[in-house]
Structure formats: C-alpha cells, structure tokens
Amino acid sequence: MRISLLALASTLALGACAVGPGYERPPTPVPTAYRGDTLQLVRDTAAAIAPLVPPVATPADTVAPTWDQTLGDTVLLALMDTARVHNQDLQATIAVTREFQARYAIDRSGFYPQINLFGAGGTGKSKAIGVPSVTSDFYDATAEASWELDLWGRVRRTSQAGKAAYFARTEDLRGAELSLAAAVATGYFGLLELDQQMLVAERTLAAQRATADLSRRRYQEGQVSRLDVLQFDAQAQETQAQLAILARLRSEEENALSTLVGLPPRGLPRGQPLPDQVSNFDVPQGLPSDLLSRRPDVRAAEEDLRAATARIGAEWGGRLPQVTLTGQYGYVSDDLSTLFESQNNTNALFVGITVPLFTGGRLQGQVDVAEAQAEQARARYEQVVLLALQDVENALVAIRTTREQLAAQAAQVASLNESLTLVQHRYENGLASYLEVLDAQRSLFNAELSLARAQALQLSSGVRLYKALGGPWSELGTARE
C-alpha cells in the first residue's frame, strides 16, 4: 500500500511539471515619460541608451478601439462603424482570428480522452480441406478510448502555445481595426481640408471678381489703364483653375474614402467643418508611458514570444517517454438479437509506453528549431517595442509642432486679411497700384489654403497619436487575468 501511494504521489508530482522554459517578459527600454511634449535635448547619451525598467503590465482584453472619447463627429464615427462591417481586409483578418481560435481548440483537445465508437457486422464463410464449409455471422459494437498522460507537460505546453497564438491573432485583429479607423479618420479630415480650401477658393474668387469689376469701372472712367483690368481678370481665372483642381481632388478623396469603408464610390455626408473640429480637439500634457502596453502590435509580439517559448517545452516533451491509457468496452456476438446481452460483453484496459530511442537527430532538431524560433520572436518583440516608442514620440512631436504651426498660420491669415483690406482701400482711392492688390490677394489666398492644411494636419496628428498609443489617451487598458 505504501509503495502504491508513493507511486501515485510521484505520478501526480510529475503531472504537475512541464518541461521547457517558462515565459518571462524580456526587459525593454520603456521610458517613465515621453519627451515629445517638451522636446528637451538629450545631453547624457549614456543615460539615454541605458535599459530602463519596463512597466508592470499584462496582456489586456481585446476590446475594439473606441474613438468617441476623442472625436465627437457623429458622421466620422458612423463611417468608422461602416468600415468595420464592410471593409474586406478586416473581414479577412476576422477569419484568421477564427482559424486560430479553432487551432487552439485542437491543441486543447490533448487534455481529454479520445473516444470512438466502432461497429461492424457481417457474414463470413470458412472452408478447410475435408471439412464442409461453415457460414457464420459476426456482430461487434465497441467503444474505444485512449488518453495520453501528460506526465512531462508536453500537452500543456502545446495548449499554452495555441492559446498564446490565438491571443496574438486577436491582437492583430484589434490592430487592424485600429489602423482601419485611423485611415478612415485621416481620409475624412483630408476631405474636410479640401472642403475648407474650396470655400476659401470660392470666397477669394468672388473677391477677385469684385476687384476686377471695380478696376473695369475705373478703367471706363479713365482712372487706370487696361492693364489693371487684364491683371485682375487673369488672377481671377487662376483662382478659377485652382478651384477646379480642388474639386477634382475632393472627388477623388471621396471615392477613396468610400472604397475604404467598403462602399462603391459616392458622395459622402459631412459633420462638423474643419475649424470646428480643430477647436474641439485637445491632447492633454504628460501622458503616462504605460499607455504603450495597450498597443496591439506590442501585445501580439509578446503573445507570439509566449507561444514560441511554450513550443520549446512541447518539443522537449516529444523526447521523453509517452504513457497512454487505452480502453475498450463493447459487445461481440454471432447473433444480432442477443448482441447486447451480458454474456457477450467484452472489455479491456491497456497501458502503453513509447520510449524514443533513436530518431537520427530528428527530435533534437525539432527542439533546436523551437529554440531558434523563440529567439526570433524575442528579437521581434523588442524591435516592436522600440518602434512603438518611436511612433509615440514622433506623434507627440507632431502634435506639439502642428499646434505651434497652426497658431502662427492663423496669425498670418489675420495679418494678411487686414493688409488686404487696407491696400484695397488705398487702391479705391488711387493711392496703391494694382500690383499691391494682386500681391495681397494672392498672399492671403495661399495663407488661407495653408491654414486649412495645418488644421487638417493637427487633427491627423491626433489620430496618429491615438493609433500610436493603441487607443484613447484618457483611459488605461484593462488587464487580463
């Protein structure tokens, strides 16, 4: 009895083990804060490149990115929802996620007995020399079960690898949703930029035509030469041509955005105009660095590393003895009507042990392959983290610099607008030449186009930061248990 209990305890202890290395997150150079808000110069190079302690975080639940906390335009949010349903690239990524979910179910099945039901029936004839032939019936209904005892944790490691691979593909799906939404937002803001530029062009064209009419009246009165009229008409025609170019670009942008959201090319609705979008947009200062741990590509790379690490143990388990329990239970009879009677019952229980002795280096080669793949996954994970840091820093710099650019551009438009008013008044009173008016109109027109460009760039920089952080900066991700 003591020996049996000892054997049982040993078996349970072995079952609690799992060969191969356990997963540990490698150290990564995650900063305690981002420098993009302040753009401070790094003077201590050695300190700048020293590895920093990574934030304590675990892979988070995969939740579709929400933009309504950052972008309040209901039309844009509706376009994002449409893209999430109709974009075919995203649908393909969803199918890949379902595939790996099914693969995980396959890997997990090794924990359970494999049970099959076997049934057979027929008539046979036997004949021996000197003996009359004998015809007999045979019927068999048997359930067979086999179960590999996971003494070394091979099945457990295989399941862990499948689970991590599934989680990685789920993060890929979340990243695809995030990238698609960011692309829709960027395209939408580009469309609003062209809308604003067309408004500027139409307003400028109307002002230039009014100035041309004024010069034409003054020419009829003999106050100016015909050159004034020709120059003002030429500038109005130049703006008319620019307006046609903007109309073409806007149509192309609408078609591209329609295709992106999964619809045939068509005209799209608009929400808030570009200036209102900018006035409602705000990015807080001092974003916490652990927001980076929510990025889908960082999580996917870590899950791939976790899966690769688990596969080392699974391959190691293949080098060790495998113990399998096999059982049969059923009925065998030569009479179908009495098949399930107790006297026809048959059952058996076997314990099988498979010990690999010589495989020509195949099993060790599989372990070496798994270890090399884990090294590759580790390098990819660390590189993804570095690139993520670069994305966030660049996005923060873009937010800060475009904010300054936008302020300067708005001040320039205000100054040029006042300058145009003064020079037009001087021209009406014969104190300024047509060249001064032409130059003031052209400068204001270009400045207003640039202002619209800066406004769209400010919003696109916000989308870029949202994508770089893996979601809204107002909330942290939730941890998976």
Side-chain angles (χ1 to χ4, degrees), residues 54-179:
V56 178
T58 56
D61 292 329
T62 54
V63 180
T66 57
W67 296 79
D68 53 351
Q69 298 166 325
T70 307
L71 306 172
D73 192 315
T74 56
V75 172
L76 174 56
L77 296 176
L79 288 174
M80 289 179 176
D81 291 338
T82 303
R84 201 171 289 121
V85 174
H86 296 287
N87 184 272
Q88 296 307 308
D89 290 335
L90 184 61
Q91 297 308 310
T93 306
I94 292 174
V96 170
T97 305
R98 288 201 301 268
E99 173 193 343
F100 276 82
Q101 184 179 21
R103 288 179 181 272
Y104 173 41
I106 295 172
D107 294 333
R108 218 174 24 179
S109 66
F111 284 119
Y112 307 102
Q114 306 299 302
I115 303 174
N116 298 295
L117 183 64
F118 173 78
T123 301
K125 180 183 288 187
S126 62
K127 183 177 182 181
I129 298 176
V131 179
S133 61
V134 178
T135 301
S136 60
D137 296 330
F138 176 82
Y139 300 97
D140 181 10
T142 306
E144 299 179 347
S146 63
W147 185 25
E148 179 185 343
L149 300 181
D150 193 26
L151 300 179
W152 322 111
R154 184 187 68 83
V155 176
R156 190 184 318 166
R157 292 300 193 196
T158 301
S159 177
Q160 289 173 354
K163 181 180 181 180
Y166 165 53
F167 283 165
R169 303 294 77 78
T170 304
E171 293 297 340
D172 286 343
L173 173 59
R174 182 172 173 268
E177 290 179 335
L178 186 64
S179 297

Side-chain angles (χ1 to χ4, degrees), residues 34-43 285 392-404:
Y34 296 112
R35 57 178 289 271
D37 286 336
T38 57
L39 290 180
Q40 295 177 350
L41 295 178
V42 177
R43 305 190 183 279
Q285 299 289 333
V392 175
E393 294 288 0
N394 289 343
L396 287 171
V397 170
I399 287 286
R400 180 180 179 275
T401 54
T402 54
R403 185 183 291 121
E404 296 173 353

Side-chain angles (χ1 to χ4, degrees), residues 317-376:
R319 301 184 59 185
L320 302 174
Q322 295 182 13
V323 180
T324 304
L325 297 179
T326 303
Q328 293 180 344
Y329 184 89
Y331 296 88
V332 178
S333 175
D334 57 1
D335 186 355
L336 181 61
S337 63
T338 63
L339 175 63
F340 294 103
E341 295 183 358
S342 59
Q343 68 271 16
N344 296 324
N345 177 259
T346 177
N347 58 79
L349 179 65
F350 306 95
V351 178
I353 300 179
T354 303
V355 181
L357 295 180
F358 179 74
T359 60
R362 176 176 61 85
L363 296 179
Q364 181 59 47
Q366 291 174 342
V367 173
D368 294 340
V369 168
E371 290 177 344
Q373 289 175 340
E375 292 176 4
Q376 298 169 34

